[in-house]
Amino acid sequence: EVQLVESGGGLVQAGGSLRLSCAASGFRFDDYAIGWFRQAPGKEREGVSCISSADGITDYADSVKGRFTISSDNAKNTVVLQMNSLKPEDTAVYYCAAGADPTSCRTADYYGMDYWGKGTLVTVSS
């Protein structure tokens, strides 16, 4: 059974940091693209960052470049999103997702994810 479990969300003041983790199981982690997405109240879901070991790529949305860093620990089947200099507009539910196409990180909004976690809430206060 494929599982993606996010953790690390919470409440933080603007300018602060949070570290989100996505623990994956049930599939060949090394072969998949892993993306982080977020959805704020009343807004559409957007891709935040993506990593693909098989394709050798990491990617970031313009809104988070220079502030967020994505990394993977293939031995632990975990992807981490380090979020620094957080802004109130970063407030959202953050989801991780896995795509069998390792080139998914090259597509617009990281299209083609096959599996999704349930999300973790990040709230940034001003």
Side-chain angles (χ1 to χ4, degrees):
E1 179 187 6
V2 172
Q3 280 195 319
L4 295 166
V5 180
E6 303 94 338
S7 61
L11 173 64
V12 65
Q13 288 189 331
S17 298
L18 282 174
R19 183 180 175 90
L20 303 184
S21 293
C22 174
S25 61
F27 61 96
R28 284 184 58 89
F29 186 79
D30 296 7
D31 295 341
Y32 277 62
I34 307 294
W36 281 98
F37 298 77
R38 67 186 180 187
Q39 188 164 21
K43 294 187 177 181
E44 292 188 357
R45 186 180 66 204
E46 62 172 340
V48 174
S49 184
C50 191
I51 187 167
S52 174
S53 298
D55 196 29
I57 188 173
T58 59
D59 192 76
Y60 299 91
D62 288 342
S63 59
V64 306
K65 280 181 181 176
R67 300 188 297 123
F68 291 11
T69 303
I70 193 169
S71 61
S72 67
D73 185 336
N74 290 346
K76 296 182 179 179
N77 283 11
T78 299
V79 171
V80 170
L81 185 68
Q82 177 67 43
M83 306 188 298
N84 298 327
S85 302
L86 283 162
K87 305 176 181 180
E89 51 264 43
D90 294 318
T91 295
V93 177
Y94 283 70
Y95 302 89
C96 72
D101 182 353
T103 66
S104 293
C105 294
R106 298 181 183 273
T107 64
D109 209 28
Y110 314 137
Y111 178 80
M113 295 294 166
D114 300 297
Y115 307 108
W116 292 83
K118 293 183 179 181
T120 185
L121 177 62
V122 171
T123 303
V124 184
S125 63
S126 57

